[in-house]
């Protein structure tokens, strides 16, 4: 930054489009908060005893706070004070576990009289600032392992503490920082690996470990085929090999039935139920000299084949310096370890309500009156809105309070019912425009601190948008996460207002110079 062109009006150097979208979202959110609580009663939108009146106060204070950050606070404070602010908020995150109040099973709130404050919301700001500060240092390269581990630790520390508060939703937002790292040079393969891990987790839960491992083999085989010079030929080999492996369970069952007399008949004649079938087959196996085959499962055969092949592939990768083949083999081994860890993670680490929500989401269980009630009512509300909605304050699901937490986590279903598909599309368009403008301004920044911070902000907004709307339409588990600027709550509104205001101030600081 060199000189300031005094002839340019000062206010023109602010990106007012960001401000206008922000105001549109908080105003529309306020209207829908009122719609979600008015219940047909004669309650005014400025009644300070209800959520809409309280939100009005939060909006006024947020606007004042945002203005203070944009127009008065020196922008160099955010860079120079990033480390100290990060440590202070990390201390609050730990302290709230011991000193905070428990709300809906989560000890993540400080309570000061009628006001509640959630440090997890503020931690997104300080984490973003410290990431930007560290990664914008001269000579910083993410490809250097020590630098990568440093940034990973900055992200992981608050994330793990927030998980300790049972705030899974807020912790999940931190996964979005991987998009920032990708923009700054992290290999796209890491994002792919995260997607594969999620797929393997779901397949193991909903199908079987055998199916999950076959899927993992298929993904790795496809990657290696596309990386090979004769990609089509290798792809055909992969399809043929996977087809053979997929039919091993059927072929093994046929072999068992042929060598163990009565095995198949025992299953057919047994009473209904897996335990009765298994007991009948065990009796048939005991009476046959080939009975030991009954104890050998197709999964063991598959693992044995992989165990035999893996050393040869690793030797090939080392000899011919084929790093892709070596990494693929190690990924396969790590994937298999994950498959056999799924049950432990699901039944011993996740809490009971989290397991139930995932089971309902994945169709493993039906519970429309229990943990699936919120999502079921939310989808009814959104679906009933049709193209143009039922009209403001005319939503029946909204008016009669069928959807719990409708002014907070499920505010989007109010939009769907009363404003319809067009209203939902308009809200999503505003968010997409906001994220696009932030990334556009970030890309045009000459200061790497501003660019990296802008991408952190965009990533947090995207994660909140995707998770919140996803859980209201049934494609994400209900994990309690607000819709930025629209959901009721002071902590969330203040946090995102501060984040956005800091970026607007940083962007302005660059635009007024040439």
């Amino acid at each position: 930054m060199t000189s300031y062109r005094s002839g340019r009006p000062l206010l023109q150097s602010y990106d007012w489009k960001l401000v206008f979208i922000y105001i549109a979202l908080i105003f529309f959110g306020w209207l829908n908060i009122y719609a979600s609580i008015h219940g047909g009663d004669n309650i005014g939108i400025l009644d300070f005893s209800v959520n809409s009146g309280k939100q009005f106060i939060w909006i006024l204070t947020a606007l004042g706070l945002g203005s203070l950050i944009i127009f008065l606070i020196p922008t160099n404070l955010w860079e120079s004070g990033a480390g100290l602010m990060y440590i202070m908020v990390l201390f609050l995150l730990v302290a709230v576990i011991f000193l905070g109040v428990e709300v809906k099973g989560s000890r993540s709130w400080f309570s000061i009289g009628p006001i509640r404050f959630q440090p997890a919301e503020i931690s997104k700001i300080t984490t973003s600032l410290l990431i930007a500060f560290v990664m914008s240092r001269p000579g910083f390269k993410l490809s250097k392992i020590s630098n990568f581990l440093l940034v990973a630790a900055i992200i992981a520390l608050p994330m793990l503490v927030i998980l300790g508060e049972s705030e899974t939703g807020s912790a999940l937002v931190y996964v979005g920082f991987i998009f920032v790292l990708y923009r700054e040079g992290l290999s796209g393969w890491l994002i792919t690996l995260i997607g594969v891990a999620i797929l393997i987790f779901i397949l193991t839960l909903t199908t079987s470990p055998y199916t999950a491992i076959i899927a993992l083999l298929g993904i790795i085989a496809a990657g290696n085929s596309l990386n090979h010079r004769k990609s089509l030929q290798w792809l055909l080999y992969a399809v043929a090999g996977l087809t053979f492996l997929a039919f091993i369970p059927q072929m093994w069952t046929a072999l068992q039935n042929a060598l163990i007399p009565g095995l198949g008949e025992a299953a057919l004649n047994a009473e209904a139920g897996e335990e009765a079938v298994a007991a009948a087959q065990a009796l048939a196996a005991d009476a046959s000299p080939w009975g030991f085959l009954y104890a050998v499962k197709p999964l063991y055969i598959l693992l044995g084949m992989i165990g035999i092949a893996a050393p040869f592939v690793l030797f090939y990768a080392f000899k011919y310096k084929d790093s892709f083949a070596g990494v693929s083999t190690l990924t396969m081994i790590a994937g298999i370890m994950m498959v056999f860890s799924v049950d432990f993670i699901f039944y011993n680490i996740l809490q009971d309500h989290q397991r139930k929500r995932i089971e309902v989401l994945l169709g493993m269980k039906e519970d429309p009156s229990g943990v699936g009630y919120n999502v079921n009512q939310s989808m009814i509300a959104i679906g009933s809105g049709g193209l143009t909605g039922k009209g403001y304050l005319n939503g029946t699901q909204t008016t009669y309070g069928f959807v719990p937490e409708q002014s907070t986590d499920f505010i989007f279903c109010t939009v769907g019912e009363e404003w319809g598909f067009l209203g939902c599309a308009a809200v999503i368009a505003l968010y997409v425009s906001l994220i696009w403008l932030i990334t556009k301004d970030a890309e045009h920044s000459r200061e790497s601190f501003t660019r990296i911070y802008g991408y952190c902000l965009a990533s947090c907004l995207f994660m909140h948008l995707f998770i919140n709307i996803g859980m209201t339409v049934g494609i994400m588990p209900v994990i309690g996460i607000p819709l930025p600027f629209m959901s009721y709550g002071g902590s969330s509104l203040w946090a995102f207002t501060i984040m956005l205001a800091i970026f607007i101030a940083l962007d302005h600081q660059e635009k007024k110079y040439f």
Side-chain angles (χ1 to χ4, degrees):
M1 299 180 180
T2 54
S3 62
Y4 176 60
R5 193 177 75 179
S6 58
R8 182 180 183 183
L10 180 65
L11 292 179
Q12 285 187 9
S13 57
Y14 289 100
D15 192 339
W16 291 105
K17 295 186 290 296
L18 293 177
V19 177
F20 293 147
I21 294 174
Y22 164 75
I23 292 174
L25 286 171
I26 61 172
F27 179 72
F28 193 56
W30 180 49
L31 292 179
N32 283 279
I33 290 169
Y34 175 63
S36 70
I37 55 93
H38 87 290
D41 300 327
N42 189 24
I43 300 175
I45 193 170
L46 291 176
D47 186 336
F48 298 118
S49 65
V50 296
N51 285 357
S52 60
K54 295 174 184 177
Q55 186 71 2
F56 181 70
I57 296 175
W58 288 121
I59 289 173
L60 291 181
T61 54
L63 289 172
L65 187 59
S67 300
L68 183 68
I69 292 170
I70 293 173
F71 297 114
L72 294 179
I73 296 180
T75 54
N76 60 0
L77 173 68
W78 307 115
E79 188 170 0
S80 61
L84 178 61
M85 288 186 283
Y86 177 87
I87 293 171
M88 290 173 61
V89 173
L90 190 62
F91 172 78
L92 290 176
L93 287 174
V94 175
V96 78
I97 299 176
F98 303 99
L99 304 176
V101 296
E102 186 170 318
V103 179
K104 298 172 187 175
S106 170
R107 188 175 289 276
S108 59
W109 297 82
F110 283 118
S111 182
I112 306 172
I115 299 174
R116 287 178 181 172
F117 163 66
Q118 192 175 27
E121 294 292 344
I122 306 299
S123 70
K124 299 164 193 171
I125 307 172
T126 54
T127 302
S128 298
L129 288 171
L130 189 57
I131 290 172
F133 173 76
V134 170
M135 295 180 65
S136 62
R137 296 302 86 194
F140 181 93
K141 290 187 181 299
L142 199 58
S143 56
K144 190 177 178 181
I145 188 65
S146 59
N147 289 339
F148 173 77
L149 291 176
L150 174 61
V151 175
I154 292 170
I155 297 170
L157 276 175
M159 182 179 179
L160 292 174
V161 177
I162 291 170
L163 280 173
E165 299 171 1
S166 299
E167 272 291 328
T168 311
S170 295
L172 192 59
V173 173
Y174 281 75
V175 176
F177 286 123
I178 195 169
F179 298 117
V180 182
L181 304 187
Y182 175 71
R183 166 59 184 83
E184 296 303 314
L186 186 68
S187 172
W189 284 108
L190 184 58
I191 299 177
T192 304
L193 287 176
I194 292 175
V196 170
I198 295 171
L199 175 64
I200 297 306
F201 186 89
I202 293 172
L203 284 175
T204 305
L205 279 180
T206 56
T207 56
S208 68
Y210 191 94
T211 303
I213 293 174
I214 289 293
L216 180 61
L217 276 171
I219 294 169
I220 292 175
N224 276 278
S225 299
L226 295 174
N227 190 58
H228 200 275
R229 191 163 42 87
K230 299 179 179 179
S231 57
L232 181 59
Q233 180 180 343
W234 279 90
L235 193 60
L236 291 174
Y237 290 155
V239 170
L242 288 169
T243 303
F244 170 76
L245 294 176
F247 280 98
I248 283 180
Q250 289 81 358
M251 292 186 290
W252 188 249
T253 299
L255 179 63
Q256 286 177 323
N257 289 338
L259 295 177
I260 305 176
L263 188 65
E265 290 80 356
L268 293 173
N269 296 330
E271 297 178 3
E274 293 183 6
E275 292 183 3
V277 171
Q281 289 181 326
L283 288 173
D286 287 341
S288 170
W290 296 96
F292 68 90
L293 293 177
Y294 177 69
V296 180
K297 306 301 179 186
L299 180 60
Y300 305 158
I301 299 172
L302 179 62
L303 291 175
M305 296 172 68
I306 293 172
I308 293 171
F312 290 100
V313 177
L314 287 174
F315 176 76
Y316 167 85
F318 177 77
K319 183 177 180 180
Y320 294 99
K321 295 181 173 56
D322 189 340
S323 59
F324 198 90
V327 170
S328 297
T329 306
L330 295 176
T331 301
M332 183 73 229
I333 295 170
I336 292 173
M337 292 172 64
M338 179 185 171
V339 166
F340 288 99
S341 302
V342 166
D343 278 352
F344 176 81
I345 295 171
F346 192 70
Y347 292 105
N348 294 280
I349 294 180
L350 295 181
Q351 297 181 13
D352 185 58
H353 68 278
Q354 294 169 336
R355 288 196 300 272
K356 289 179 179 177
R357 288 170 179 171
I358 292 174
E359 287 171 342
V360 170
L361 174 69
L362 298 179
M364 299 165 65
K365 287 184 179 179
E366 294 291 335
D367 191 10
S369 61
V371 294
Y373 177 80
N374 291 24
V375 175
N376 191 43
Q377 295 298 322
S378 173
M379 291 192 292
I380 290 172
I382 293 173
S384 66
L387 179 64
T388 57
K390 297 176 180 177
Y392 185 55
L393 303 183
N394 291 325
T396 53
Q397 294 288 109
T398 296
T399 299
Y400 298 108
F402 284 105
V403 184
E405 311 298 335
Q406 195 162 343
S407 64
T408 53
D409 300 340
F410 285 87
I411 191 69
F412 190 74
C413 73
T414 304
V415 178
E417 184 178 25
E418 299 194 349
W419 304 87
F421 173 80
L422 295 179
C424 290
V427 168
I428 293 173
L430 283 174
Y431 280 110
V432 171
S433 299
L434 181 66
I435 293 171
W436 178 76
L437 286 170
I438 291 169
T439 55
K440 178 171 170 279
D441 286 344
E443 282 295 336
H444 290 161
S445 298
R446 288 165 293 176
E447 297 290 335
S448 55
F449 180 86
T450 303
R451 182 188 70 246
I452 296 167
Y453 177 79
Y455 270 92
C456 288
L457 169 59
S459 297
C460 288
L461 286 170
F462 170 77
M463 291 298 291
H464 271 263
L465 179 67
F466 177 75
I467 296 171
N468 181 276
I469 295 181
M471 70 185 190
T472 62
V473 298
I475 63 171
M476 289 291 289
V478 179
I479 52 178
I481 192 169
L483 190 60
F485 309 122
M486 289 189 62
S487 290
Y488 169 76
S491 292
S492 173
L493 179 60
W494 272 33
F496 276 109
T497 298
I498 292 170
M499 283 192 84
L500 182 61
I502 290 173
F503 178 73
I504 292 173
L506 290 170
D507 181 60
H508 158 73
Q509 187 68 17
E510 291 199 11
K511 284 182 177 177
K512 73 176 185 178
Y513 288 101
F514 287 86

